Amino acid sequence: MMRQYELVDRVRRYNPHTDEDLLNRAYVYAMRAHGQQKRASGDPYFTHPLEVAAILTELRLDDATIVAAVLHDTIEDTGVTKAEIDTLFGPEIGSLVDGLTKLKKLDLVSKRAAQAENFRKLLLAISEDVRVLLVKLADRLHNMRTLHYVSPEKRARIAEETLDIYAPLAGRMGMQNLRDELENLSFRYLMPEAFAMVSTRLEDLRETNRELIKTIEKELTEELALRGIEAEVRGRQKQPYSVWSKMERKSLAFEQLSDIFGFRVVVGETDECYRVIGVVHTKWPMVPGRFKDYISTPKQNDYRSIHTTVVGPGRQRVELQVRTRDMHDIACFGIAAHALYKDGQEASAPALSHESNAYNWLKRTIDMLAEGSSPEEFLEHTRLELFHDQVFCFTPKGRLIALPRGATPIDFAYAVHTNVGNSAVGAKINGRLAPLLAPLVNGDEVEIVRAEGQIPPAAWESIAVTGKARAAIRRATRDAVRAQYAGLGRQIVLRAFERAGKKFSEEKLRPALPRLARSSIEDVLAAVGRGEMFSGDVVKAVYPEFKEERKAPVPDRTEPGWFRMQKAQGVEFKSPGAAGAALPIRGLQGDLPVSFAPNGAVPGDRIVGIMTPGEGITVYPIQSPALEAFDDQPERWLDVRWDVEDSQALFPARIIVAAINEPGSLGAVATLVGEQGANIDDVTFNKKSPDFREMIFDIQVFDLKHLNDILSRLRVLPMVHKVERVIG
Ligand code: MN
């Protein structure tokens, strides 16, 4: 545990005029107040506030902040009152500790259930004094550093909250170092495998590039010295979490990240930054579109630097950040940098007194964070700004529902509960009736008007923006469609039994299910309703001795078109003339056999049928080059449409994948296709050069969306160069 004199020493190192007596009194007071309390690690509780204070000494904060850190858990966890702290340490420290106590209560409410009222309290506490927030962030950092001692559930909740709230807040306040550490710790606890993977790759890369980095550092330092610029050049590597989130955000593979390595050039004066850029751009070609001047136009959180990317030695892309020492401090410590004690600073001036520039700067920042006076506006402009791609709405009972931007009451309803979504018929937004399609805005209170026995319209699926809502709508409509088919199937089956002079009952059908290769009666009925199963086969399954006299002729199954189609589809379609038959195509005439052109259409493609007298109808996608041959024979063109609702049938499609010729590229493509639920029928190699191989895959997909989804996923594979569909 940190000793009393150690704490004083740490502060005295940057603030020779610190009030030692104040620090000592706080130390003893908090130690007594926490007494025998223990942390999850088994350490005395008092070690925690001390470590929090130590983190803040690294940010070189004023005495009041350090003392508030030492005392930050006393009101909540021990018998101490605010009045007592006011009396012993003065009202300034008293209100800081009180603000922290309010924030601590927030930790008890998990983020998802966070109440607006509580959140307003948090923000009001922050706005009173930003130092409260600095202590809070240090408190969170220490808790994250010691997170492995708490239970796994608590660990996940705290790490998630850190990633969602505290890390972005640190970033917003310009405290990049703190943000990086909070993010990396959360990442490690939330996704240990991903964290390990990214860290290992970064470590490997660091090893591989060690010499190159040294070379660039040396070359650049010497080059700048030649022009009389004294600069500190440091190679730096992206943080694991920021690498990961970039991979996620842009769907990139690790290999595709071009800016894992960067260099930071720190100089003395602002004009030197521009001279450095001149030298760099003269020496190495710059990459267009990557130059950013945050010195002339600082970021909102006061970040200033010049960014550029050049093609450096070995044709490596090198990212550079150029800044002065002051800019560097602000980039690392943000708001806290304004509170730093500087050499020669007036001894007694508290860094964050109401008169100081630093305080005014903080005040401005807070005003910016909290533009607007009403609590609602407050809410809107602060926390909500941190999550600009989300909207936050409330249930009438005050539960907070976070949704992606563009979400509607439909998404809201499904976020509350699937049953609420399925039975939604209307919505009230802020007490007023509103259409279910109205986009929600921050702070809306949404009440869903419900009616039981509703089926959500299938069109909602394309309106909903959340995956949860879409999946639920799909399920509900599929269930409803299935129920309709089953109802139709029941009528057909009843009639078939009647015709056979038998009586239908579910009890008799149940033992016959294995013979029909179905697992439930509803399955059988729905299959009959959809035309996938012949009602006569159901009768025969129950009464094996029954022989049906079919009225319609059964198609000759050796007929080539018929056979080809069956093979291609992998499912049994009946010829359109047969009883209970169904083909996934509408608009057909008579009993003509139907087939699909090879490498042909999948549901979702616009299609056309071509009639060939004596042979039948061949279905082509409208963009098929083969159709040109029939351009001058309009009488053979037949208007057909898909009829594949709810079908689980697979359709053949051909794709060409050009990939880098390396071990595993075929495997990676095949795995991805398989993972997407498509079959691979055949693979052939078209061209094989030392660098590239072109593979032709004959695959089976459900529909066009499925196919396009596979194509776009293949395109993001690092080794894949080109992916195209081939239409015959
Ligand atoms: Mn604490």
Side-chain angles (χ1 to χ4, degrees):
M1 193 189 326
M2 191 191 297
R3 302 296 189 86
Q4 206 167 326
Y5 70 86
E6 284 176 285
L7 178 66
V8 175
D9 271 358
R10 272 172 176 268
V11 179
R12 207 164 35 202
R13 244 175 269 155
Y14 62 87
N15 177 10
H17 304 281
T18 177
D19 185 346
E20 289 185 30
D21 174 56
L22 180 71
L23 291 175
N24 285 329
R25 280 192 293 124
Y27 186 102
V28 173
Y29 183 81
M31 183 168 66
R32 288 212 181 115
H34 287 295
Q36 297 303 306
Q37 288 175 354
K38 293 270 192 281
R39 302 204 80 209
S41 61
D43 288 337
Y45 192 89
F46 183 50
T47 56
H48 165 66
L50 279 182
E51 288 302 327
V52 174
I55 291 168
L56 293 165
T57 62
E58 283 158 31
L59 298 173
R60 302 161 80 189
L61 289 167
D62 67 327
D63 286 350
T65 312
I66 304 295
V67 169
V70 174
L71 301 174
H72 82 270
D73 280 332
T74 53
I75 294 184
E76 180 72 13
D77 295 353
T78 74
V80 171
T81 63
K82 175 176 186 292
E84 203 174 324
I85 291 183
D86 280 349
T87 314
L88 288 170
F89 300 98
E92 184 189 8
I93 289 172
S95 72
L96 290 176
V97 177
D98 190 45
L100 284 154
T101 307
K102 284 182 191 150
L103 292 200
K104 180 147 189 182
K105 292 202 175 108
L106 260 184
D107 286 350
L108 302 174
V109 188
S110 94
K111 183 208 142 205
R112 303 252 177 263
Q115 306 288 299
E117 189 51 39
N118 282 327
F119 197 71
R120 282 177 207 134
K121 274 189 208 148
L122 161 86
L123 293 163
L124 289 166
I126 296 164
S127 72
E128 274 167 23
D129 197 318
V130 83
R131 290 174 296 181
V132 170
L133 198 57
L134 294 177
V135 180
K136 182 67 196 173
L137 288 171
D139 177 39
R140 179 51 63 117
L141 179 58
H142 184 243
N143 285 335
M144 286 299 295
R145 283 176 180 171
T146 52
L147 199 61
H148 48 282
Y149 293 109
V150 308
S151 69
E153 302 80 52
K154 199 173 169 194
R155 217 183 282 167
R157 180 178 68 76
I158 291 176
E160 217 166 278
E161 190 184 70
T162 301
L163 208 50
D164 286 346
I165 296 189
Y166 292 100
L169 200 52
R172 191 63 192 266
M173 297 172 75
M175 304 168 80
Q176 193 55 41
N177 290 8
L178 197 96
R179 177 192 188 154
D180 285 343
E181 192 175 350
L182 287 174
E183 283 179 344
N184 288 331
L185 287 165
S186 308
F187 180 33
R188 193 173 107 197
Y189 287 115
L190 289 173
M191 287 172 277
E193 299 84 15
F195 177 82
M197 185 275 280
V198 174
S199 305
T200 311
R201 301 287 301 264
L202 286 175
E203 185 57 42
D204 291 350
L205 213 57
R206 188 158 33 228
E207 278 308 313
T208 328
N209 289 304
R210 192 178 292 279
E211 285 311 309
L212 182 69
I213 290 167
K214 271 195 206 144
T215 311
I216 295 176
E217 280 175 358
K218 188 161 168 288
E219 266 187 47
L220 195 53
T221 313
E222 286 172 0
E223 189 83 26
L224 292 172
L226 266 163
R227 322 279 171 115
I229 304 168
E230 199 183 307
E232 191 187 303
V233 182
R234 279 279 158 75
R236 54 175 208 98
Q237 200 176 28
K238 258 197 156 41
Q239 297 292 317
Y241 181 75
S242 88
V243 168
W244 171 254
S245 58
K246 188 159 186 183
M247 286 166 68
E248 287 240 289
R249 217 171 43 243
K250 306 209 167 157
S251 310
L252 293 174
F254 191 88
E255 286 73 17
Q256 292 171 296
L257 299 175
S258 57
D259 55 354
I260 287 175
F261 272 103
F263 288 83
R264 188 168 286 151
V265 183
V266 178
V267 293
E269 301 298 329
T270 305
D271 65 319
E272 286 178 323
C273 296
Y274 292 95
R275 288 172 60 204
V276 169
I277 290 294
V279 172
V280 167
H281 284 176
T282 312
K283 190 172 168 64
W284 292 306
M286 74 179 279
V287 178
R290 297 296 302 259
F291 179 83
K292 287 187 195 103
D293 184 352
Y294 294 117
I295 292 179
S296 68
T297 321
K299 285 193 189 179
Q300 269 211 335
N301 61 15
D302 219 24
Y303 173 88
R304 295 196 295 161
S305 279
I306 299 177
H307 293 186
T308 188
T309 305
V310 295
V311 182
R315 306 218 36 86
Q316 282 266 348
R317 275 169 154 237
V318 177
E319 197 188 60
L320 285 142
Q321 297 173 342
V322 185
R323 52 174 74 148
T324 66
R325 171 60 52 192
D326 280 356
M327 294 173 195
H328 182 62
D329 283 342
I330 289 172
C332 296
F333 304 118
I335 276 184
H338 290 268
L340 296 185
Y341 269 81
K342 302 259 163 59
D343 290 342
Q345 184 171 354
E346 184 56 26
S348 58
L352 291 165
S353 79
H354 286 65
E355 293 76 37
S356 74
N357 280 340
Y359 184 84
N360 286 331
W361 187 84
L362 291 181
K363 196 76 196 130
R364 270 208 321 278
T365 309
I366 291 156
D367 289 347
M368 182 194 75
L369 280 168
E371 249 157 47
S373 48
S374 73
E376 286 71 27
E377 278 182 73
F378 211 58
L379 187 69
E380 177 137 343
H381 285 278
T382 47
R383 174 184 182 182
L384 305 182
E385 271 290 290
L386 299 173
F387 304 99
H388 46 80
D389 51 351
Q390 285 186 281
V391 288
F392 292 84
C393 302
F394 301 96
T395 66
K397 285 183 182 159
R399 190 174 145 206
L400 181 68
I401 305 279
L403 295 165
R405 206 161 268 281
T408 65
I410 296 172
D411 296 290
F412 182 93
Y414 280 102
V416 172
H417 196 279
T418 304
N419 290 342
V420 176
N422 284 340
S423 59
V425 290
K428 280 185 186 169
I429 300 178
N430 302 321
R432 284 196 176 162
L433 274 173
L436 280 168
L437 312 181
L440 296 172
V441 299
N442 273 323
D444 275 349
E445 186 189 294
V446 185
E447 187 187 341
I448 299 296
V449 183
R450 301 172 61 183
E452 291 306 331
Q454 286 292 311
I455 297 159
W460 281 10
E461 196 190 323
S462 55
I463 293 160
V465 299
T466 55
K468 187 183 176 192
R470 275 209 293 266
I473 294 162
R474 205 175 309 140
R475 211 177 313 118
T477 46
R478 197 172 53 210
D479 288 351
V481 168
R482 194 183 136 85
Q484 283 172 9
Y485 275 126
L488 176 64
R490 180 178 290 272
Q491 289 177 18
I492 296 171
V493 168
L494 278 175
R495 237 179 298 146
F497 273 76
E498 244 169 58
R499 273 202 311 272
K502 309 278 184 193
K503 198 163 157 37
F504 171 75
S505 78
E506 295 199 357
E507 288 68 44
K508 287 196 181 117
L509 179 53
R510 192 161 290 120
L513 287 175
R515 251 167 283 156
L516 292 164
R518 303 283 161 155
S519 53
S520 75
I521 288 172
E522 204 195 352
D523 272 353
V524 171
L525 298 178
V528 173
R530 271 195 296 266
E532 288 170 8
M533 190 184 286
F534 180 49
S535 58
D537 292 339
V538 181
V539 181
K540 257 187 280 178
V542 179
Y543 300 102
E545 74 290 350
F546 172 71
K547 291 256 186 315
E548 197 204 14
E549 290 159 36
R550 294 186 189 228
K551 293 182 187 80
V554 180
D556 177 10
R557 298 204 168 196
T558 57
E559 199 283 328
W562 166 257
F563 180 71
R564 202 160 59 234
M565 186 185 73
Q566 256 198 329
K567 184 166 179 277
Q569 305 310 124
V571 286
E572 233 184 272
F573 294 127
K574 308 266 193 266
S575 170
L583 193 80
I585 303 289
R586 273 188 224 175
L588 298 172
Q589 302 166 341
D591 282 346
L592 290 173
V594 178
S595 62
F596 285 83
N599 314 328
V602 302
D605 279 327
R606 283 189 55 211
I607 47 174
V608 66
I610 295 292
M611 219 171 346
T612 306
E615 273 189 29
I617 297 162
T618 311
V619 175
Y620 292 88
I622 201 86
Q623 68 270 45
S624 170
L627 285 172
E628 265 178 46
F630 310 107
D631 266 354
D632 51 353
Q633 305 166 65
E635 71 283 357
R636 293 179 62 187
W637 291 60
L638 206 62
D639 187 20
V640 292
R641 276 178 300 131
W642 290 102
D643 185 15
V644 282
E645 206 175 335
D646 203 34
S647 165
Q648 290 300 298
L650 288 159
F651 294 81
R654 172 170 287 187
I655 59 175
I656 284 191
V657 180
I660 296 166
N661 195 6
E662 65 181 20
S665 57
L666 172 64
V669 172
T671 305
L672 190 143
V673 172
E675 277 170 1
Q676 296 308 309
N679 287 341
I680 299 177
D681 263 355
D682 198 9
V683 190
T684 46
F685 294 94
N686 204 10
K687 278 177 222 151
K688 199 174 166 185
S689 81
D691 295 327
F692 275 95
R693 54 162 63 166
E694 205 170 78
M695 300 172 271
I696 299 175
F697 284 84
D698 284 323
I699 62 175
Q700 295 189 338
V701 296
F702 294 116
D703 54 21
L704 187 61
K705 189 181 166 300
H706 188 206
L707 177 61
N708 285 339
D709 199 38
I710 292 169
L711 294 181
S712 47
R713 279 167 198 267
L714 284 171
R715 287 192 185 106
V716 300
L717 284 182
M719 73 290 280
V720 166
H721 173 61
K722 187 188 81 177
V723 184
E724 265 167 17
R725 179 181 176 193
V726 182
I727 290 176

